[in-house]
Amino acid sequence: MKWIYIAAGIALFIKMLVLPNSAPVVPDFSIVESIVKDGGMPNAVTVIILRNRLYDTIFEVVVFTIAIMGAYFLLANEQPSCAISIVSPINHPLCWRVWEQLLLRW
């Protein structure tokens, strides 16, 4: 298996020596101008936000909604294993002790 990796590395090295710059030559073309022209708005940032980010946000909401619906469906018949009692923090004795200490320091 080592020989395959070595051969691939040598082939890549030779390819870089033979074709060092394989990027196409593009004439002077402003990407911002083309975005503004395609979007129909004078502000390129607004075009990018409305084209890409808006769809991204909408699809995130759809995915999270489906995930919540799936979790709700899977946990619909789940029975709690124990009862949870609610203790009011105002009537808890530790809370009163903390308040006494704070008031005495002040």
Side-chain angles (χ1 to χ4, degrees), residues 81-97:
S81 60
C82 64
I84 299 172
S85 61
I86 299 174
V87 178
S88 174
I90 296 173
N91 295 330
H92 198 273
L94 183 61
C95 183
W96 286 109
R97 288 185 194 146

Side-chain angles (χ1 to χ4, degrees), residues 28-87:
D28 189 23
F29 183 69
S30 175
I31 296 174
V32 176
E33 290 176 6
S34 67
I35 289 173
V36 169
K37 185 176 70 173
D38 291 341
M41 289 180 235
N43 191 349
V45 176
T46 305
V47 173
I48 291 171
I49 288 175
L50 290 178
R51 280 183 143 189
N52 300 332
R53 302 294 181 201
L54 182 66
Y55 294 126
D56 183 44
T57 305
I58 289 172
F59 289 126
E60 282 179 0
V61 169
V62 169
V63 167
F64 288 139
T65 303
I66 292 171
I68 290 170
M69 289 170 55
Y72 182 74
F73 175 75
L74 289 175
L75 298 174
N77 296 328
E78 189 74 23
Q79 299 297 327
S81 60
C82 64
I84 299 172
S85 61
I86 299 174
V87 178

Side-chain angles (χ1 to χ4, degrees), residues 9-27:
I10 292 171
L12 184 64
F13 180 73
I14 292 172
K15 186 255 179 204
M16 290 297 177
L17 287 177
V18 174
L19 300 170
N21 188 9
S22 61
V25 177
V26 179

